[in-house]
Amino acid sequence: MISIQTKRYSFNLKKNFPFEFKTLTQQFFRVKLYSSMATFNRTTLEEVLKKRFFYTPSFQIYGAVAGFYDYGPPGCALQANIIDLWRRHFILEEDMLEMDGSIMTPAEVLKTSGHVDKFTDWMVKDSLKTSDIYRADHLIKQELETRLEGDKQARAKLDGNVQSEKSKKKNDKSQMVKLEDSVKAEYEDIITRISNYNGVEIGEVIRKYNIKSPETGNDLTEPEEFNLMFESSIGPTGHQKGYLRPETAQGQFLNFKRFLEFNNDKMPFASASIGRSFRNEISPRSGLIRVREFTMAEIEHYVDPNNKTHSRFNEVKDIKLRLVPRSVQSEGKMDPIEMAIGEAVEKKIVDNETLGYFLARTYLFLTKLGIKPDRLRFRQHMPNEMAHYACDCWDADIHNSYGWIECVGCADRSAYDLTVHSNRTKEKLVVRENLAEPMIYDKTVLEINKKVFGPKLRQNSKTVEDYLTSLNEEQLEALKKALEDGNGTTKVPGTDGNQYEITSEYLTIKRQTFTEHVREYTPNVIEPSFGIGRILYSLIEHVYWTRKDDEQRSVLSFPPRVAPFKCLLVPLSNNPAFTDLVDELAKRIRKLSIAIKVDDSSNSIGRRYARNDELGTPFAITIDFQSVNDRTITLRERDSTKQIRENIDTILQVLKDLLEESTTWEKVMETYPTFTQQELD
Amino acid sequence: MISIQTKRYSFNLKKNFPFEFKTLTQQFFRVKLYSSMATFNRTTLEEVLKKRFFYTPSFQIYGAVAGFYDYGPPGCALQANIIDLWRRHFILEEDMLEMDGSIMTPAEVLKTSGHVDKFTDWMVKDSLKTSDIYRADHLIKQELETRLEGDKQARAKLDGNVQSEKSKKKNDKSQMVKLEDSVKAEYEDIITRISNYNGVEIGEVIRKYNIKSPETGNDLTEPEEFNLMFESSIGPTGHQKGYLRPETAQGQFLNFKRFLEFNNDKMPFASASIGRSFRNEISPRSGLIRVREFTMAEIEHYVDPNNKTHSRFNEVKDIKLRLVPRSVQSEGKMDPIEMAIGEAVEKKIVDNETLGYFLARTYLFLTKLGIKPDRLRFRQHMPNEMAHYACDCWDADIHNSYGWIECVGCADRSAYDLTVHSNRTKEKLVVRENLAEPMIYDKTVLEINKKVFGPKLRQNSKTVEDYLTSLNEEQLEALKKALEDGNGTTKVPGTDGNQYEITSEYLTIKRQTFTEHVREYTPNVIEPSFGIGRILYSLIEHVYWTRKDDEQRSVLSFPPRVAPFKCLLVPLSNNPAFTDLVDELAKRIRKLSIAIKVDDSSNSIGRRYARNDELGTPFAITIDFQSVNDRTITLRERDSTKQIRENIDTILQVLKDLLEESTTWEKVMETYPTFTQQELD
């Protein structure tokens, strides 16, 4: 998942790593506001999530540790339902080969993948208080944004739009100082590009713009690279270094041969894995968005590099996506183009069918979860963001109150990963394809005349032979010519660097015809990679609203399929008359494998409904005195708060149909009379 | 889960930790052989599991690292199905509060729980080749067992039962040496008790019995303690030490307050967690049984210490379990007693209803998975195995070819965990219960007369006050008496250890009446803890067999609910005539959310059936030429290999009913005629 890049691109290393804020894209977004966000208040939502135990900082009674969260019952069920849908939507639907691999990974594997050397962030320390450590790009961005805010206020004042100090937002540390126009432009440029800067460049910015340690005002140290992997040691010797995996992908690549065999050697196919990964952030922030331990779901789809069509592309080709291709971004804009994925592939905006197929399938998955289509976009990586080997890469960005957050990365990684692991381990990670027609071709080959070569070159024969056997066809032809030009004698270097004389007696260089019945190739990998926590948090924001009549009443309108609990079961009060019927119904509903929540607490029924609206429970069955007499019960729908009243069997059947999506609440309301309840509280 | 013990018991520390071999119990088992094992061959099974990619050593192309395994598609699906059943059986059925917590845990938490100090094994090194490190108890046991085997052979020879060298098992390193009867008895005794020895005792055994480094014959070093947790560092400072959690339990305890609140303060209730835990074994072995990274499922059930009844105990009381209580073991036997759990609780063999309830529920869960009841027993911990605070503890041991393996631990841990975390963090982890009748009681209390106390004792007042306020009622009464006896004067120690004179002017000690409307208590915890990997492996052994007519044909008879794939879909051959019907059926079956496996490879249909017998796929739908003409298809059952032939709709309905367990294959065979297939291969 992480991009390993050539020297030339190395300053862009982490751009291809999903789950990274996009400084650039956030900047562009700042001007926009979505209708659904107009009344959004993150503080209120966070209170609801805390109160209902969706999630909580881990180890809180020990003071918590930044970047670690525990999911409580509703968060845990929500996550399980998202994962379940992901498994059905991708793995089952497409016959993917799922694996569950080790988290602890020997250093050698991650050395080969490039993570040991390049999976780093730049950090700076306070020069006097060295326990204050900052992620350099975030620190610079924050400081320059504060200065720009101060400039904005100063300019507004000059224009006569005086802003009172009181109207400032909390935490706004900006000071009203007007900047030179050129300085302002420089700041804006740096903010856009800072996440691509290397250590030297970061150091220059800090010195040039006099950026200090924010808490103390002290100087900052020179930027240092900090590897983001958690390190450990395996076994009792202390000599075997291991890291917690930063992604599940490497475990999949290492098992490629077994997957291919399991798939009866048929191509293309995909492996997939869902599991915990780790990233030792310098300074985690933004709640569930930037954490040190997270659940990911990754697909590695292996294709023939010569054929990246997809057999099911036809099924998705008309799906319209909001794309932000390179061409738009290079004009400094972020406005999405709405386009059918079929057209985008045809116009080569998206590189190939398989990549396009996964973008469309990702769109279907996210919207099925409840992500709002107008807060979802697919942004293409700029060439300088991508790894040198990648063909194309798109992020699914979901908008939430932290900005546009990269939640899914979808990259065509070419043959990079399989190639590096194969080179390192000498294990062939290739596909062998039987050719319908044999492939016949000529090739220049070298034959060494052992009888002369060894005796003549003696102790130097190995170094010369190693050099000669490393030559490609072109070099062999050149050598042949050199021998001809030198009347059968020339000099060649050994692998030791010395020059040795050879004659045409030593070897033969000739064209030879080969016939091959099998084509061997390293597959390319197309990798859709999902950050489950980011998707989960964005989803919560997308389905959150407060009732018009009462802003204190929050609702989480999860689609039933992902709602943590599907149905609330409540007696009107905690009167013992209801107990038997509650038990009977609870048993029957559980038998239908429906996750229910029984609330027979002494709270008013209105409060119990409100509590379950906050949990996002889509339906509620209520048992009242009439129920005990005539065995009718009511079914309430969360969003409309409307109810119907029917006998138990009918209600349970309706509930089952609603959850299996064979009916909708609208249809139910058409079929059964609305039940108007007496005052509740 | 791990037992933290007083000094007196500290040598038994790990006995309460589940997923530990029981040396003792294995010994006893050695004489027995189960009918189902008569033909069992682990090597053959392992070949099947490898070939079908159930699991594989992780990082194998890098040479693998002991104790880490990747689950391939069938293993991964099997594990997911076991977890799914666990979640339904325990969490949904009992309204448990599931959480998903962090794996990386700050050192302080695990210091409090006792893991930092006590979660250790003893290791010894080769004195000359220090990279050879052994787990001391395993090494000693292995060496003494080898000597006992040599003794057995020598005795047999003396009895005239000469065993040829060739009949020895592979890896049998024993030398035919007869031991003194007393030495033989000593060896047997040590083997039984070695896992409870401390470092000094282990060192003595090694010296006394001249045990050497097995590979080199060199001396061994003195035993050292090795902590079994993987250590790491959180964040960039390098100062925050963290460990990978050795169990999920601690994360649950830390969230106790939130769980209680989520449960509307109602008791009793349970939290639960399913996830990865880590244990840095000195020398992992025995395949999936002893690994360094594993998935566990743990329940923490919180009860009132004064009332450990269970409201649903009645539902399970007649279930008969094979119990091995302490009384049996203390006679040196391991023969289980078959007894209804109701009777066992009544007779106080099992301490309380809640513990008994979970033993019975565990039995139901394991047998529902496919674990054979006659290879499952519940063994009670001996008093010296248990933590000092534990009331009672039972292991569910499952028998497989490695012996009796502890797969589930079920312990009543009293209030230990909540108490230590509460003491450490000063966070109250208690239940407050409104009393129907207020509780009125007298108590001896201390009142310090500040006006005299401070001025008289001056700089020493704090150390004396700290001592006095630490006194319990009994100590206060004793102090009162001392003051009376000393005519109003006595000496007390300060917390600094010095003696200070005090007089009755300084303080008043008196009886006082209290009225309380709320009872506050720390709940006790009953903890069933499941090792998923061990259960998974044991299950595979239990359902494995080979066809009578052909020993090469292995079958894994998973119950349909846990089988990795539910149905195989095969065309008779890879003739293109079948393609459309295969696609149509695959789509329809997937729509029913049934995990199918399509095999349209060119192998003979017999081979494809055999392959899926090895995967444990319970049913197969076959499409032949007749299917294309009349849209009838056949349904084959894995164990009997019998088939029926009906139209598509009927077959799909039958398949659905079979998988939902609303019918059985026996009933299907009664309803539909058997289809006798032509020769297959």
Side-chain angles (χ1 to χ4, degrees):
Chain A
M1 189 171 59
I2 179 186
S3 321
I4 308 313
Q5 314 202 344
T6 57
K7 265 265 154 64
R8 204 184 140 226
Y9 290 106
S10 65
F11 56 87
N12 295 319
L13 172 73
K14 285 216 320 312
K15 295 311 297 176
N16 194 23
F17 184 72
F19 325 137
E20 184 66 23
F21 275 107
K22 283 289 169 302
T23 314
L24 178 75
T25 61
Q26 273 190 296
Q27 274 307 100
F28 279 105
F29 177 69
R30 210 148 282 169
V31 286
K32 268 199 174 173
L33 241 188
Y34 281 80
S35 59
S36 47
M37 282 194 70
T39 58
F40 179 79
N41 180 331
R42 198 199 291 155
T43 312
T44 318
L45 172 60
E46 280 175 349
E47 273 163 25
V48 170
L49 296 177
K50 189 183 162 189
K51 192 167 55 174
R52 298 296 160 231
F53 199 4
F54 272 83
Y55 57 87
T56 183
S58 302
F59 328 112
Q60 206 166 24
I61 66 172
Y62 280 81
V65 181
F68 294 99
Y69 288 88
D70 291 345
Y71 289 2
C76 189
L78 178 60
Q79 180 185 246
N81 294 340
I82 292 173
I83 288 172
D84 182 63
L85 190 67
W86 193 89
R87 193 177 260 132
R88 280 169 201 275
H89 185 83
F90 289 106
I91 296 181
L92 285 188
E93 179 67 30
E94 317 237 359
D95 267 340
M96 291 176 177
L97 307 182
E98 187 178 352
M99 68 164 276
D100 188 22
S102 293
I103 291 172
M104 181 63 74
T105 307
E108 207 185 340
V109 172
L110 295 161
K111 177 79 185 166
T112 305
S113 69
H115 289 84
V116 170
D117 296 324
K118 310 240 180 127
F119 190 59
T120 54
D121 273 339
W122 292 100
M123 63 175 177
V124 286
K125 294 179 185 169
D126 187 300
S127 57
L128 297 173
K129 193 177 165 201
T130 50
S131 61
D132 284 5
I133 302 177
Y134 300 93
R135 186 167 149 179
D137 56 342
H138 286 182
L139 176 66
I140 291 170
K141 184 169 162 275
Q142 204 174 327
E143 172 61 21
L144 298 188
E145 279 175 355
T146 306
R147 294 184 193 177
L148 285 172
E149 179 59 34
D151 170 72
K152 202 172 126 194
Q153 290 166 15
R155 285 170 192 251
K157 196 177 177 185
L158 288 174
D159 292 348
N161 301 321
V162 182
Q163 192 192 21
S164 79
E165 277 295 312
K166 278 186 184 170
S167 72
K168 270 188 171 186
K169 279 188 208 147
K170 246 204 279 179
N171 299 325
D172 185 348
K173 293 179 183 166
S174 60
Q175 288 183 310
M176 221 184 275
V177 177
K178 186 177 175 299
L179 304 169
E180 295 294 317
D181 283 1
S182 63
V183 172
K184 179 167 176 275
E186 278 173 40
Y187 284 4
E188 283 165 349
D189 181 55
I190 291 168
I191 288 170
T192 309
R193 300 193 300 112
I194 185 72
S195 55
N196 291 342
Y197 278 21
N198 64 26
V200 174
E201 292 168 306
I202 287 172
E204 279 166 9
V205 169
I206 288 173
R207 278 188 300 277
K208 180 166 178 193
Y209 299 102
N210 201 28
I211 293 171
K212 300 291 182 186
S213 183
E215 297 299 323
T216 62
N218 296 331
D219 282 346
L220 293 163
T221 60
E222 279 303 299
E224 294 168 61
E225 260 181 317
F226 177 70
N227 193 294
L228 298 174
M229 291 194 293
F230 285 99
E231 189 180 316
S232 192
S233 171
I234 303 168
T237 63
H239 300 317
Q240 181 152 26
K241 200 191 272 188
Y243 295 100
L244 301 188
R245 67 178 176 201
E247 57 177 22
T248 72
Q250 301 305 323
Q252 296 183 59
F253 298 140
L254 299 193
N255 282 301
F256 172 74
K257 258 181 74 174
R258 286 185 171 277
F259 283 126
L260 182 64
E261 192 189 316
F262 188 82
N263 208 45
N264 296 327
D265 295 323
K266 278 174 81 170
M267 286 283 292
F269 74 95
S271 62
S273 198
I274 305 164
R276 209 61 75 84
S277 293
F278 293 79
R279 186 182 161 119
N280 195 8
E281 289 286 347
I282 294 171
S283 48
R285 58 182 195 182
S286 313
L288 294 188
I289 304 298
R290 180 175 297 285
V291 292
R292 285 172 166 157
E293 188 174 334
F294 47 91
T295 298
M296 346 172 48
E298 289 188 300
I299 295 164
E300 311 297 332
H301 182 94
Y302 309 92
V303 290
D304 183 338
N306 298 341
N307 177 12
K308 294 185 180 179
T309 58
H310 194 288
S311 64
R312 296 178 70 174
F313 186 70
N314 222 33
E315 296 174 30
V316 301
K317 72 175 184 346
D318 296 327
I319 292 173
K320 287 196 170 155
L321 303 182
R322 288 155 43 87
L323 302 174
V324 189
R326 276 176 210 146
S327 56
V328 169
Q329 296 172 63
S330 59
E331 288 170 23
K333 291 181 196 155
M334 289 302 279
D335 307 307
I337 300 167
E338 194 157 312
M339 189 185 280
I341 190 66
E343 190 186 340
V345 170
E346 209 172 287
K347 289 188 172 161
K348 275 283 173 192
I349 294 172
V350 172
D351 184 76
N352 59 69
E353 273 193 9
T354 300
L355 191 59
Y357 179 75
F358 280 112
L359 294 185
R361 293 284 298 162
T362 298
Y363 171 87
L364 291 175
F365 168 70
L366 293 173
T367 52
K368 222 191 263 183
L369 282 184
I371 293 294
K372 302 282 178 263
D374 64 335
R375 298 177 74 184
L376 170 60
R377 70 178 187 199
F378 291 84
R379 192 187 69 80
Q380 188 171 31
H381 279 207
M382 297 301 285
N384 69 347
E385 278 180 274
M386 279 202 311
H388 65 281
Y389 53 79
C391 305
D392 196 4
C393 182
W394 292 76
D395 292 339
D397 292 343
I398 304 178
H399 180 257
N400 65 35
S401 62
Y402 293 101
W404 281 100
I405 303 299
E406 179 188 347
C407 293
V408 184
C410 204
D412 182 333
R413 305 178 50 79
S414 78
Y416 179 77
D417 310 277
L418 294 177
T419 305
V420 293
H421 286 300
S422 178
N423 289 346
R424 175 68 191 81
T425 61
K426 307 295 168 211
E427 189 82 41
K428 270 193 170 183
L429 301 177
V430 294
V431 174
R432 291 172 55 85
E433 183 187 59
N434 289 317
L435 294 170
E437 304 256 317
M439 199 162 56
I440 300 166
Y441 61 93
D442 285 352
K443 196 178 162 186
T444 303
V445 294
L446 166 82
E447 263 175 28
I448 285 175
N449 183 359
K450 299 252 169 189
K451 279 188 185 157
V452 181
F453 195 86
K456 291 275 186 188
L457 284 165
R458 282 177 303 183
Q459 76 272 28
N460 299 320
S461 62
K462 190 169 180 329
T463 182
V464 178
E465 185 173 345
D466 284 352
Y467 168 76
L468 292 173
T469 52
S470 76
L471 299 179
N472 63 27
E473 281 190 76
E474 207 177 321
Q475 292 165 322
L476 284 173
E477 291 291 355
L479 177 61
K480 189 177 177 184
K481 188 154 183 304
L483 279 166
E484 283 163 11
D485 291 353
N487 290 323
T489 305
T490 188
K491 281 199 171 183
V492 294
T495 48
D496 60 1
N498 295 328
Q499 292 288 320
Y500 298 96
E501 194 174 87
I502 59 167
T503 74
S504 42
E505 278 175 79
Y506 292 23
L507 46 80
T508 314
I509 294 168
K510 60 175 178 186
R511 295 292 284 176
Q512 197 169 311
T513 302
F514 290 86
T515 306
E516 276 187 17
H517 298 271
V518 172
R519 173 181 158 231
E520 207 176 77
Y521 66 89
T522 303
N524 281 14
V525 172
I526 290 171
E527 179 193 77
S529 172
F530 294 70
I532 300 297
R534 290 184 169 192
I535 293 171
L536 179 145
Y537 178 76
S538 303
L539 173 62
I540 289 174
E541 276 204 12
H542 285 209
V543 300
Y544 170 70
W545 54 291
T546 52
R547 296 219 185 268
K548 273 195 187 136
D549 47 348
D550 184 354
E551 275 192 19
Q552 293 305 304
R553 292 185 61 185
S554 298
V555 185
L556 290 173
S557 288
F558 294 116
R561 64 165 76 84
V562 292
F565 308 101
K566 309 305 179 192
C567 185
L568 167 70
L569 180 61
V570 272
L572 192 65
S573 68
N574 60 358
N575 190 310
F578 301 130
T579 312
D580 286 352
L581 197 51
V582 170
D583 288 350
E584 180 195 328
L585 276 171
K587 216 166 177 172
R588 280 185 66 178
I589 299 173
R590 278 200 194 101
K591 208 154 191 180
L592 298 171
S593 284
I594 294 172
I596 55 164
K597 201 165 152 39
V598 180
D599 189 349
D600 52 2
S601 68
S602 59
N603 288 310
S604 77
I605 192 147
R607 278 192 66 171
R608 283 179 286 160
Y609 283 155
R611 180 151 71 193
N612 277 275
D613 290 346
E614 290 182 349
L615 286 168
T617 311
F619 305 106
I621 286 175
T622 310
I623 292 164
D624 54 19
F625 289 104
Q626 189 184 334
S627 310
V628 180
N629 295 326
D630 69 0
R631 294 182 68 82
T632 62
I633 50 180
T634 70
L635 183 66
R636 172 191 188 263
E637 194 270 339
R638 174 194 60 207
D639 297 349
S640 64
T641 74
K642 290 237 169 18
Q643 297 190 62
I644 61 168
R645 172 165 215 123
E646 297 295 330
N647 68 51
I648 292 175
D649 292 342
T650 307
I651 292 287
L652 293 191
Q653 188 58 49
V654 168
L655 177 65
K656 197 162 175 276
D657 291 344
L658 283 164
L659 294 176
E660 286 174 357
E661 297 171 32
S662 61
T663 189
T664 62
W665 183 251
E666 288 66 39
K667 281 185 203 152
V668 170
M669 291 302 288
E670 283 164 22
T671 316
Y672 302 97
T674 305
F675 171 69
T676 314
Q677 184 138 8
Q678 49 274 48
E679 278 296 299
L680 289 173
D681 52 358
Chain B
M1 189 175 56
I2 178 185
S3 322
I4 308 311
Q5 314 202 343
T6 58
K7 265 263 155 61
R8 203 183 143 227
Y9 290 107
S10 66
F11 56 88
N12 295 319
L13 171 74
K14 284 214 323 311
K15 294 313 293 178
N16 194 24
F17 183 73
F19 324 139
E20 184 67 24
F21 274 109
K22 284 289 170 302
T23 314
L24 178 77
T25 62
Q26 272 190 296
Q27 274 307 100
F28 280 105
F29 177 69
R30 209 149 281 170
V31 286
K32 268 196 174 176
L33 240 188
Y34 282 79
S35 58
S36 47
M37 284 195 68
T39 59
F40 180 77
N41 182 331
R42 198 199 290 153
T43 312
T44 318
L45 172 60
E46 280 175 348
E47 271 163 25
V48 170
L49 297 177
K50 189 183 161 189
K51 193 168 53 176
R52 296 297 159 231
F53 199 5
F54 272 82
Y55 58 87
T56 182
S58 302
F59 327 112
Q60 205 165 24
I61 65 171
Y62 280 82
V65 182
F68 295 98
Y69 288 88
D70 291 344
Y71 288 3
C76 189
L78 178 60
Q79 180 184 248
N81 294 340
I82 292 173
I83 289 173
D84 182 63
L85 190 67
W86 194 88
R87 193 177 260 131
R88 282 168 199 273
H89 185 83
F90 289 106
I91 296 181
L92 286 187
E93 179 67 31
E94 318 237 357
D95 267 339
M96 292 176 178
L97 307 183
E98 188 178 352
M99 68 164 277
D100 188 22
S102 293
I103 291 172
M104 180 64 73
T105 307
E108 208 184 340
V109 172
L110 295 161
K111 177 79 185 167
T112 305
S113 70
H115 288 85
V116 169
D117 296 325
K118 309 240 181 130
F119 190 59
T120 54
D121 274 338
W122 292 100
M123 64 174 175
V124 286
K125 294 179 185 168
D126 187 301
S127 57
L128 297 173
K129 194 179 165 197
T130 51
S131 61
D132 283 6
I133 301 178
Y134 300 93
R135 184 167 152 180
D137 57 342
H138 287 181
L139 176 66
I140 291 170
K141 183 170 162 275
Q142 203 175 328
E143 172 60 22
L144 298 188
E145 279 175 353
T146 306
R147 294 184 193 177
L148 285 171
E149 179 58 34
D151 169 73
K152 201 172 125 194
Q153 289 167 14
R155 284 170 193 252
K157 196 177 176 184
L158 288 174
D159 292 348
N161 301 321
V162 183
Q163 193 193 20
S164 78
E165 277 294 312
K166 278 187 185 169
S167 72
K168 271 188 171 185
K169 279 188 208 148
K170 246 204 275 180
N171 299 325
D172 184 348
K173 292 179 184 167
S174 60
Q175 289 184 309
M176 220 184 277
V177 177
K178 187 177 173 300
L179 303 168
E180 295 293 316
D181 283 0
S182 63
V183 173
K184 179 167 174 274
E186 280 173 39
Y187 284 3
E188 283 166 347
D189 182 56
I190 291 167
I191 287 170
T192 308
R193 300 193 300 112
I194 186 72
S195 55
N196 291 342
Y197 278 20
N198 63 26
V200 174
E201 293 169 305
I202 288 172
E204 279 166 9
V205 168
I206 288 173
R207 279 187 299 277
K208 180 167 176 194
Y209 299 102
N210 201 29
I211 293 171
K212 300 292 182 185
S213 184
E215 297 300 324
T216 63
N218 295 333
D219 282 346
L220 293 163
T221 59
E222 280 303 298
E224 294 167 62
E225 260 181 318
F226 177 69
N227 193 294
L228 298 174
M229 290 194 294
F230 284 99
E231 189 181 316
S232 191
S233 171
I234 303 169
T237 64
H239 301 315
Q240 181 151 27
K241 200 190 271 187
Y243 295 100
L244 300 188
R245 68 178 175 201
E247 56 180 21
T248 72
Q250 301 306 323
Q252 295 183 59
F253 299 140
L254 299 193
N255 282 301
F256 172 74
K257 259 179 74 174
R258 287 184 169 277
F259 282 126
L260 182 64
E261 192 189 317
F262 188 83
N263 207 45
N264 295 326
D265 293 323
K266 279 173 80 169
M267 286 284 291
F269 74 96
S271 63
S273 198
I274 305 164
R276 207 61 75 85
S277 294
F278 293 78
R279 188 182 161 118
N280 196 8
E281 290 285 348
I282 294 171
S283 48
R285 57 181 196 182
S286 311
L288 293 187
I289 304 298
R290 181 175 296 285
V291 292
R292 285 173 166 155
E293 188 174 334
F294 47 91
T295 298
M296 342 173 49
E298 289 189 300
I299 295 164
E300 310 298 331
H301 182 93
Y302 310 93
V303 290
D304 183 339
N306 298 341
N307 177 10
K308 295 186 179 176
T309 58
H310 195 288
S311 63
R312 295 178 70 173
F313 187 69
N314 223 31
E315 295 174 31
V316 301
K317 72 175 185 346
D318 297 326
I319 292 172
K320 286 195 170 154
L321 304 182
R322 289 154 43 87
L323 303 173
V324 189
R326 276 176 210 147
S327 56
V328 169
Q329 295 171 65
S330 60
E331 287 172 22
K333 291 179 196 155
M334 289 300 282
D335 307 307
I337 300 166
E338 193 157 313
M339 189 184 278
I341 190 67
E343 191 187 338
V345 170
E346 208 173 289
K347 290 187 171 161
K348 275 282 175 193
I349 294 172
V350 171
D351 184 76
N352 60 68
E353 272 192 9
T354 301
L355 191 59
Y357 179 75
F358 280 113
L359 294 185
R361 292 284 298 162
T362 298
Y363 171 87
L364 290 175
F365 168 70
L366 293 173
T367 51
K368 223 191 262 184
L369 280 185
I371 294 294
K372 301 282 178 264
D374 65 336
R375 298 178 75 182
L376 169 62
R377 71 179 186 197
F378 291 86
R379 192 187 69 81
Q380 188 172 31
H381 280 207
M382 297 302 285
N384 70 347
E385 278 180 272
M386 278 201 312
H388 65 281
Y389 52 80
C391 305
D392 197 4
C393 182
W394 292 77
D395 292 339
D397 292 343
I398 304 178
H399 179 256
N400 64 34
S401 62
Y402 294 102
W404 281 101
I405 303 298
E406 180 187 346
C407 294
V408 185
C410 204
D412 182 334
R413 307 178 48 79
S414 77
Y416 179 77
D417 309 278
L418 294 177
T419 306
V420 293
H421 286 300
S422 177
N423 289 345
R424 177 68 191 80
T425 61
K426 307 297 170 210
E427 189 82 42
K428 270 193 170 182
L429 302 177
V430 294
V431 173
R432 290 172 57 82
E433 182 187 60
N434 289 317
L435 294 170
E437 303 254 317
M439 197 162 58
I440 300 165
Y441 61 93
D442 285 351
K443 198 177 161 185
T444 302
V445 294
L446 165 82
E447 263 175 26
I448 285 175
N449 183 356
K450 299 253 168 187
K451 281 189 184 155
V452 181
F453 194 86
K456 291 274 185 190
L457 284 165
R458 282 177 302 185
Q459 76 272 27
N460 300 319
S461 64
K462 189 166 181 331
T463 180
V464 179
E465 185 174 345
D466 283 352
Y467 168 76
L468 292 172
T469 52
S470 76
L471 300 179
N472 63 26
E473 282 190 74
E474 207 177 322
Q475 292 166 322
L476 284 173
E477 292 291 354
L479 177 59
K480 192 177 176 186
K481 188 153 185 302
L483 278 166
E484 284 162 9
D485 291 351
N487 290 320
T489 304
T490 190
K491 282 201 170 179
V492 292
T495 47
D496 61 1
N498 295 327
Q499 292 287 322
Y500 298 96
E501 194 175 85
I502 60 167
T503 75
S504 40
E505 277 174 80
Y506 291 21
L507 45 81
T508 314
I509 293 170
K510 61 177 178 184
R511 293 294 283 175
Q512 196 169 315
T513 302
F514 291 85
T515 306
E516 276 187 16
H517 298 271
V518 171
R519 174 181 159 232
E520 206 176 79
Y521 66 88
T522 303
N524 280 15
V525 172
I526 290 171
E527 179 191 78
S529 171
F530 294 70
I532 300 296
R534 289 185 170 193
I535 293 171
L536 179 143
Y537 178 76
S538 303
L539 173 62
I540 289 175
E541 277 204 12
H542 286 207
V543 300
Y544 168 71
W545 55 290
T546 51
R547 299 222 184 264
K548 273 195 186 138
D549 48 348
D550 184 354
E551 277 191 17
Q552 294 305 305
R553 293 185 60 185
S554 298
V555 186
L556 290 173
S557 287
F558 295 115
R561 63 165 75 85
V562 291
F565 309 100
K566 310 302 180 192
C567 185
L568 167 70
L569 180 61
V570 271
L572 192 65
S573 68
N574 59 359
N575 190 311
F578 302 129
T579 312
D580 287 351
L581 197 52
V582 170
D583 289 350
E584 180 195 328
L585 276 171
K587 216 165 178 175
R588 282 185 66 178
I589 298 173
R590 280 201 193 100
K591 207 154 192 178
L592 298 170
S593 284
I594 295 172
I596 55 163
K597 200 165 154 38
V598 180
D599 187 348
D600 53 2
S601 68
S602 58
N603 288 310
S604 77
I605 192 146
R607 277 191 67 170
R608 284 179 286 159
Y609 284 155
R611 180 152 69 193
N612 276 276
D613 290 345
E614 290 183 348
L615 286 168
T617 311
F619 304 106
I621 286 175
T622 311
I623 292 164
D624 55 19
F625 289 104
Q626 189 183 334
S627 310
V628 181
N629 294 326
D630 69 0
R631 294 181 67 82
T632 61
I633 51 179
T634 71
L635 182 67
R636 173 191 187 262
E637 194 270 340
R638 173 195 60 208
D639 297 351
S640 64
T641 74
K642 290 237 167 25
Q643 296 190 63
I644 60 167
R645 170 165 216 125
E646 298 295 329
N647 67 53
I648 291 175
D649 291 342
T650 308
I651 292 288
L652 292 191
Q653 189 59 48
V654 168
L655 177 65
K656 196 161 177 275
D657 292 344
L658 283 164
L659 293 176
E660 286 174 358
E661 298 172 31
S662 60
T663 189
T664 61
W665 183 251
E666 287 66 39
K667 282 185 201 151
V668 170
M669 291 302 289
E670 283 164 21
T671 317
Y672 302 96
T674 306
F675 171 69
T676 315
Q677 184 137 8
Q678 48 275 47
E679 279 295 299
L680 289 174
D681 52 357

